[in-house]
Each structure stands twice: as structure tokens, then as C-alpha cells.
Amino acid sequence: MENVEVLFGYPGGTIMPFYDALYDEKDIKHILTRHEQGAAHAADGYARSTGKVGVCVATSGPGATNLVSGIATASMDSVPMVAITGQVPTKLIGTDAFQEADITGITAPITKHNYLVKDVNDLAHTVKEAFYIARTGRPGPVLIDIPKDVLVSETEFHYPKNIRLVGYKQVHTGHASQISMAATEIARAKKPVIIAGGGMQIACACAELRELVEKAQIPVATTLMGIGCFPEDHALSLGMVGMHGTAYANYAICETDLLISLGTKFSDRVTGKIAEFAPNAKIIHIDIDPAEIGKNVRVDVPIVGHLKETLTELNKVIAPGDTSQWLKTIASWKEKFPLHSTNPDMLNPQHIMEAIYKATNGEAIIVTEVGQNQMWAAQYYTYTKPRSFITSGGLGTMGYGFPASLGVKYAHPDKHVFDIAGDGSIQMNIQELATAAYNDLDVNIVIMNNGYLGMVRQWQEMFYDKRYAATPLKGNPDFVKLIEAYGGVGARVTKQEELFPAIKKAINTDNVCLIDCVIPPEENVYPMVAPGACISNMFGVGQ
Amino acid sequence: MKHTIAILVTDSPGVLAKIAGLFSRRGYNIESLAVGHTETKGISRMTIVVEGDDRALEQIKKQLNKLIDAIKVADLDPYNSVGRELALIKVKVDSPQHRADMIQLVDVFRAKILDIGDQSLIIEITGRQDKVDAMIGLLSQFGIKEVVRTGKVTLARGLKVVSLPKKAKR
Ligand SMILES: Cc1ncc(C[n+]2csc(CCOP(=O)(O)OP(=O)(O)O)c2C)c(N)n1
């Protein structure tokens, strides 16, 4: 009914009737992860890479609470997901029964909506509503908690065609007068800049963006979540903006007279010090969620609307623009302040991402963990397609990347899927190696092994006098032996010349692979804006 | 500045927790809260008083609107609405003189006496917050034993109503 092809999950007492029904099910594949968090992230990766609703399943109590980080991750990044949990029988609810947890209470702040279904007659329409809510508007996770007695009760099955949700409002095209006001501002601007966020990928509005940009000649920066919605090899691309954005994107924001922000929530990682953010600019903000408009920054032309429909309308009324003077300034910044590693002679993250790009002709889907590895993955691979960079932006969940990459690979068996990892993050869900190996999900894990919780160490170096408290990763396993123990293929790379062959070999191997790349332990992510500082005030620019 | 927000919600499990949770999670303090059924079956109305500037209010309203269970959200203009609170106050009575003083006070405030005990009275007062506050202030000199207050309930003046969108009515 909802065309679900795969579930990621883990069974247990209260969800057993559900699994019993799955036993005879031919059309839905179930992938058993090794931890419920892995199931949630895998469903999330499946959803982000396809735009379809990802589904995860867990039992009550500890099973459900293990989903929590995964649900919160999906919530922060507006990922369509349905989580199904077993619950203790209705007559035991509230008695602190064995494996009882108030999961609807726990997940209220991190779901778009959730349900506790107490009557089997409510089950069908609840499922219908849950999928509808998860994928429409600003997408998000929806949880359905089903007590065991409801799972075993019987009723006449009737899947409703329509649903009636009076408290749920949909928006479509933005207001015509606001759109024409935006067009006027665009025609007037001398130094316009676009910031494109995660909403652009969700709305599938990349073609419309390109039309706008090329017509009006406006340079485009993306947020971390927006990466891929505009081709980074395009002359008008500024790469990423924000704390670890390119110097030229950040300078452009500080100089611009018109900032057009599309599907972004103006996270503190993007804006830096709000008072000094885009100080000379009028701001146009288009977003499907009215609550994002004016939440963090003042907005001059607010437009609530679906990005695809709204940009289509905007493109009809904008005039071709001439911003050549501004583009010249930007070109000179680009030349002066390129991204670069500070250890060019050693095997470094830049080499790694560039080698992956070359080995896959830029056709890979890159999934990341969290920390320096994530930022380097964002910076040094040239993204040209939407949904090709999958990362936990809002919550910054270490341990996200590897299980998410399994969901991505399931949805895209013909693509090269890479999990770019740190030696810390990979150990947060490393148990999923079994899931990958058993289900032939031949993802390639590339560890940027610096022997530290690198991003935290970098902050300690810069803001805590190099007092490396609890960041050296002593006691790491031999990752190559580890993946071999699971039946995968491993390699260790310590020199530049070993890198490309190792990546080539991994993508030609029909098995989960892990490349443990030993990088300089104290390599930093630059540029860097100190938290709370103005984004033009960057460390590590242009040495 | 204080704002009074009226929210129509579906009577579904956990709604109160979801609405209250939204306020605390986003850092807005609820000053008073009242909930009860409405003219429509299955729909309750919450009246919430919060402190905050206009921008904070705008954000609260938008966030409330995102809750699936919140069907309608309105903030009620203080100059164009009427609001009332109710309090029950139990006071200690030491002497007949004492009792007479209190009865006089009840008269002046147009309050009511609900219960007369040997050594106590229960007084009911309805009114705007300042009136209820004043009554409690004056009674405190006699020795208040217990106070219970409702949150404020408010209706817009005239024909204006906070009602369900048309399509919601069957
Ligand atoms: C679950 C979780 N715990 C803690 C953090 C805080 N944190 C952010 S980055 C980081 C270090 C990551 O280390 P590693 O995975 O080795 O990556 P590196 O930064 O070295 O590339 C930590 C601990 C987090 N983001 N997520």
C-alpha cells in the first residue's frame, strides 16, 4: 500500500507477532541489523538517498530506546522515516511492565508526530497517516507504537484512500506578490548570493535552481546539507558556507547586498555571529516551513512555499542579470584562497577524497561519519548531483555513516557507496559489519585514521591550550584484521602511492571493504570560524 | 509582554504533554494554562498565557501550528477580549468579628462563600487576574490556609471566534 520494499529492524518480545507475519511475506525484505540504532540510520540512509520513506522496526523498551538517536538524527535533518515499535500489552501500560518504555513520550520532541495505537481498528488509518505525514511538507520521522495485544487482534482490513488531518496544513507555491518582490530585489542587486540548504534536495528543485542561477548570474553557496544540489564544478559554485566553509563563500556572504536563502534553517554553524551575518544584505528566504522564517535571522522578503513550485514561478518573472563585476571579485578570492591541506607531502584527507573522486568518476555516493572526516569529505570531493552526499548535519551523530551507507547501498546497488569515517566514529556502530557482509551490501569504508577524536582534539588545540583530555584513541583495534574477521576485505594505506590502487581494488571487490588510511595525527580542518565569531573571521585561510 | 494564546486540539492521548513539552523545550515559560472541552465533540481548547516579545510569540505560534494535534492557534488581543480566572481560597476564622470582616470583603469583591466551617471559610472569586490577586492579598492578613487557582480562560469580544476550519466540521 505504501510500496515499502525493505525494513531495517531487530525483533524482541512485544514485536514478535509483527515478525511472525513477516515470515510469510514475499514482497518486503527485512534486514536484520546488529543494533536498533543501526536500523534507524540504515532506514535514514535509504530515505535520504531516494526521497522515499525509510522504515525501521524495534521491540518495546530497550529496542525502542535504541532507536532514539536515529530518530533524532532524522528529525534534525528532515528525513522521511516511519519507526514501528512494539509496546507492552495495553492492560500493562503504566505498570512499569517488563520492557515497558514510554516511547511516544520520549520521542515527542524528536518526531514530526507519533502514535500509540490502542485499538486494532485504528491501525490501518494510523499507518496511512504516518506515511503521509512523514513524506509530505517538511518531511520527518513518525513513530507508531503498537501494543502486543493490538498486534494479535483481528479486524477487517480496510486501507483508507483518503485521510483527514485538519491540523496538518500543506503549502504549495509561495505568494505571487512576494515572488514578484523577490524578483525586483534580484533585478536591483549588485552582489547577490544564494545559500542553498537541505530543503533543496528534499524538494528536488535543483534544475529550477540552476535555471535561476544561470539566468540571473548569481553565485551559489550551499550549506553542509545542501551539498550536491548545485554542481560544484560550475563556475558559479562557491562550495560550502559556514564554520568550515570556503573562504570565498564566507567572504561573499559578508559582502553581499542580497542574500537569497533557499530551504535552510540558518544554523549557528552557517551564520556564525548573527549580528555580523550578511550585514549589508537584504534577505529573501524561501522555505516550506513558516517556523523557519525569521527564526534565527531577520528576513526582508519572506516566502512560504514549496521550493520547486516557488522557484518555477520565480524563474518566470526574473530578468536576466549582469553581475560580472561581482563575479570578478569572487573569482579573485577563489584564486587567492583555495581549499588545501596543511600537510601536502603526506597522505592527507585531500588526497583521499580526490582519489575517490577520480576512481569513481565523481559518480560515488559519499556518506560520512562526524568530525573532521565529515568536513574533509564535504570539502575535498566535487559533488555534482543531489543526494550524493549523505551526512548527519543537524544532530552530528557519530556512528551515523556506516549503517546509513548500508541503507544507501540497498537502494542503489549499482552505485559505489563510500562511508568516510574517523577511527572514533566507525567504532560507534561497527557491529553493522556483520549486516553488511551477510547481506552483500558492499560498501567501502575509508577510515581517516588520525588516532584521535580529531575534531575535539582540534578544538582542544585551538581553544584549550592543547590539553588533549580524553581525545587520544588508545586501544584502537587492527581495523584490517577486524573486517577480515567479518568476512570483508581490508587494506592499510600509509603512503600516497598506495592510495589509488587500494580504492580501485575496493570498488572492484564484491564485498564490504575497509581502507584504513593513516593520516597526519594533528591535521586540522581549515578554514575554521571560531564558534560565535563572524564568518569572515577565519583561521587557516591562505597560508 | 504577556500574551494569551488559544489552541484548539484533538482529544488524543498525550496532547497536553506534547503542547506543554513544546513550550518548555523551546524555552518559553507557561504562566497559566486552562484546558477543557469545547462546543465541538472531540475538540478541547487550551488557553495559555506566556511572557515574551512579539518575535517569541510569532515563533511559539508557528511551532504550535506544526503540531498535528493542534488544529487552530490564535493569540487573543488583550483589548478586544475578555478573560477570567477563578480561585478558591480557604481562610481560618478565629472569631465572629473576624468572620464578619471577611463576609464584608466577599461582598465588596462580589465573591461567594462556598463553605462555612467551625473555624474556616471557603471563598470563591472570579475575575481578572489583578482582582483575584487583590482579593488574595487582602485575605492574607486573616491567615490563608490554602489557595487553588485556575488558569485564565479568554474569549474574543463580539462575533469573532476561535473555531475549527470549515473542512473540519462534518
Ligand atoms: C554520538 C556522538 N558523541 C560525541 C560527539 C562529539 N564529537 C564530535 S566530533 C568528535 C570526534 C570524532 O572523532 P573521529 O570519529 O575519530 O573523527 P575525526 O574528527 O578524527 O575525523 C566527537 C567526539 C558526537 N558528535 N556524536
Side-chain angles (χ1 to χ4, degrees):
Chain A
M1 305 271 137
E2 297 295 338
N3 295 318
V4 173
E5 53 168 343
V6 62
L7 308 174
F8 300 91
Y10 209 101
T14 58
I15 195 77
M16 281 175 71
F18 179 95
Y19 274 91
D20 192 54
L22 262 186
Y23 194 69
D24 298 322
E25 174 59 52
K26 302 272 173 314
D27 295 335
I28 304 179
K29 166 111 176 144
H30 179 269
I31 294 202
L32 175 70
T33 54
R34 292 302 185 270
H35 188 300
E36 289 86 353
Q37 186 184 355
H41 290 328
D44 171 315
Y46 175 89
R48 290 192 207 219
S49 64
T50 59
K52 296 191 231 168
V53 178
V55 185
C56 57
V57 184
T59 193
S60 64
T65 54
N66 271 351
L67 291 178
V68 168
S69 296
I71 295 172
T73 302
S75 174
M76 287 292 262
D77 292 340
S78 308
V79 177
M81 180 158 115
V82 168
I84 297 170
T85 49
Q87 182 55 280
V88 301
T90 34
K91 63 175 190 312
L92 291 183
I93 290 178
T95 64
D96 299 324
F98 177 64
Q99 295 195 328
E100 180 183 4
D102 172 14
I103 199 65
T104 46
I106 290 169
T107 59
I110 54 166
T111 49
K112 187 168 170 188
H113 193 50
N114 65 26
Y115 297 91
L116 169 61
V117 183
K118 286 188 167 163
D119 180 344
V120 68
N121 293 307
D122 291 331
L123 199 50
H125 77 83
T126 301
V127 170
K128 173 100 184 173
E129 283 177 23
F131 277 85
Y132 179 75
I133 291 170
R135 75 168 172 263
T136 52
R138 179 180 185 171
V142 178
L143 179 136
I144 310 174
D145 196 26
I146 316 173
K148 190 170 187 178
D149 55 322
V150 174
L151 283 174
V152 297
S153 328
E154 296 197 359
T155 187
E156 187 85 31
F157 178 72
H158 165 69
Y159 205 62
K161 269 219 179 64
N162 300 310
I163 41 175
R164 205 169 145 276
L165 281 168
V166 283
Y168 187 58
K169 295 133 206 134
Q170 292 298 326
V171 301
H172 299 286
T173 312
H175 213 280
S177 63
Q178 294 296 96
I179 291 175
S180 79
M181 205 189 299
T184 311
E185 293 297 344
I186 291 171
R188 202 179 282 159
K190 299 266 177 309
K191 305 177 187 173
V193 173
I194 288 174
I195 295 188
M200 291 298 296
Q201 329 235 21
I202 296 168
C204 301
C206 305
E208 290 74 11
L209 173 65
R210 194 161 172 160
E211 187 187 332
L212 168 69
V213 164
E214 290 180 348
K215 216 165 164 184
Q217 290 293 302
I218 307 175
V220 184
T222 67
T223 65
L224 182 74
M225 300 314 294
I227 285 178
C229 76
F230 187 74
E232 293 183 335
D233 53 4
H234 194 290
L236 289 167
S237 169
L238 295 171
M240 182 169 70
V241 63
M243 181 176 273
H244 294 295
T246 60
Y248 33 96
N250 287 353
Y251 290 148
I253 301 294
C254 291
E255 290 273 310
T256 181
D257 59 354
L258 180 68
L259 184 67
I260 305 158
S261 21
L262 307 174
T264 169
K265 65 181 170 199
F266 290 108
S267 143
D268 52 289
R269 288 298 190 259
V270 165
T271 61
K273 187 174 183 180
I274 292 268
E276 289 169 36
F277 178 71
N280 310 312
K282 285 204 170 170
I283 299 182
I284 299 172
H285 189 182
I286 310 181
D287 204 288
I288 198 165
D289 182 356
E292 288 307 343
I293 293 179
K295 184 179 79 179
N296 295 341
V297 300
R298 58 174 172 88
V299 173
D300 301 284
V301 185
I303 304 180
V304 177
H306 190 287
L307 281 160
K308 194 179 180 75
E309 298 170 29
T310 307
L311 289 183
T312 302
E313 291 308 308
L314 181 61
N315 284 338
K316 288 183 192 159
V317 292
I318 51 159
D322 175 16
T323 53
S324 48
Q325 222 25 56
W326 173 227
L327 295 179
K328 252 185 229 154
T329 311
I330 287 175
S332 73
W333 287 335
K334 274 190 174 178
E335 199 167 314
K336 247 198 201 129
F337 311 115
L339 289 169
H340 62 91
S341 164
T342 44
N343 292 296
D345 303 329
M346 293 152 91
L347 173 66
N348 69 41
Q350 181 169 9
H351 298 138
I352 295 170
M353 294 315 299
E354 288 174 357
I356 295 173
Y357 181 85
K358 196 167 136 214
T360 60
N361 295 317
E363 297 285 336
I365 301 182
I366 304 291
V367 188
T368 81
E369 300 292 344
V370 166
Q372 294 182 311
N373 60 85
Q374 177 184 33
M375 294 301 134
W376 289 321
Q379 292 176 331
Y380 292 124
Y381 183 96
T382 309
Y383 297 90
T384 55
K385 295 185 184 63
R387 302 186 189 278
S388 62
F389 178 68
I390 310 266
T391 197
S392 166
L395 200 66
T397 311
M398 288 173 70
Y400 168 79
F402 180 45
S405 73
L406 302 182
V408 174
K409 185 67 188 181
Y410 187 89
H412 302 276
D414 302 331
K415 288 258 179 188
H416 299 303
V417 178
F418 280 79
D419 174 39
I420 307 303
D423 45 326
S425 298
I426 191 64
Q427 295 184 70
M428 281 216 178
N429 274 313
I430 200 150
Q431 75 287 347
E432 302 306 334
L433 280 172
T435 315
Y438 174 71
N439 293 288
D440 297 324
L441 295 168
D442 50 337
V443 162
N444 304 306
I445 303 167
V446 175
I447 300 180
M448 297 189 175
N449 193 337
N450 50 14
Y452 281 106
L453 294 171
M455 185 57 94
V456 182
R457 185 210 55 77
Q458 177 172 346
W459 285 47
Q460 288 169 331
E461 176 184 330
M462 297 171 76
F463 312 119
Y464 292 87
D465 274 343
K466 289 203 175 192
R467 289 155 56 87
Y468 292 164
T471 46
L473 283 171
K474 307 237 172 74
N476 271 344
D478 179 332
F479 290 108
V480 175
K481 279 193 187 148
L482 187 68
I483 188 157
E484 286 168 0
Y486 280 97
V489 178
R492 178 161 300 107
V493 170
T494 54
K495 300 193 198 73
Q496 269 186 69
E497 57 273 21
E498 298 164 353
L499 180 64
F500 193 75
I503 291 170
K504 265 288 184 207
K505 184 174 168 215
I507 62 179
N508 290 324
T509 303
D510 257 355
N511 202 338
V512 55
C513 294
L514 182 153
I515 307 175
D516 184 18
C517 297
V518 180
I519 62 163
E522 302 201 7
E523 167 109 18
N524 285 336
V525 181
Y526 288 131
M528 175 165 184
V529 179
C534 171
I535 59 169
S536 65
N537 190 356
M538 288 168 275
F539 291 97
V541 173
Q543 294 96 337
Chain B
M1 189 176 151
K2 274 187 195 165
H3 298 276
T4 306
I5 303 177
I7 311 161
L8 297 182
V9 297
T10 50
D11 282 338
S12 48
V15 186
L16 182 61
K18 278 184 190 167
I19 304 256
L22 188 144
F23 278 82
S24 65
R25 181 164 82 252
R26 300 226 172 235
Y28 309 121
N29 279 333
I30 293 180
E31 292 226 338
S32 102
L33 170 115
V35 202
H37 296 302
T38 61
E39 67 283 0
T40 314
K41 194 167 166 268
I43 305 293
S44 289
R45 175 163 169 153
M46 301 175 72
T47 309
I48 297 183
V49 179
V50 280
E51 176 80 42
D53 56 24
D54 287 352
R55 198 167 145 178
L57 176 78
E58 195 57 33
Q59 190 52 214
I60 297 176
K61 277 168 45 188
K62 285 172 168 177
Q63 293 296 344
L64 285 168
N65 263 317
K66 282 168 65 166
L67 293 180
I68 313 280
D69 290 322
I71 298 172
K72 174 107 187 185
V73 180
D75 74 292
L76 295 164
D77 174 2
Y79 301 107
N80 245 323
S81 59
V82 287
R84 289 292 178 269
E85 289 179 25
L86 180 144
L88 302 181
I89 306 154
K90 186 179 285 178
V91 277
K92 199 162 159 258
V93 180
D94 293 331
S95 63
Q97 178 56 42
H98 200 173
R99 177 167 294 164
D101 289 349
M102 262 185 274
I103 289 171
Q104 200 183 5
L105 202 59
V106 164
D107 269 352
V108 173
F109 273 84
R110 281 192 267 158
K112 274 186 214 151
I113 293 174
L114 297 188
D115 180 71
I116 302 184
D118 271 358
Q119 294 176 37
S120 69
L121 282 180
I122 296 179
I123 297 169
E124 175 200 311
I125 175 159
T126 308
R128 293 197 348 220
Q129 189 191 1
D130 48 1
K131 175 172 164 188
V132 177
D133 287 346
M135 179 79 174
I136 292 172
L138 287 167
L139 286 173
S140 61
Q141 56 184 318
F142 299 106
I144 292 178
K145 303 291 286 177
E146 204 175 4
V147 172
V148 54
R149 290 175 78 150
T150 66
K152 177 168 136 181
V153 292
T154 305
L155 284 182
R157 290 183 190 275
L159 277 175
K160 190 175 173 242
V161 291
V162 178
S163 66
L164 295 183
K166 283 216 179 57
K167 64 170 179 173
K169 293 184 182 153
R170 285 165 213 253

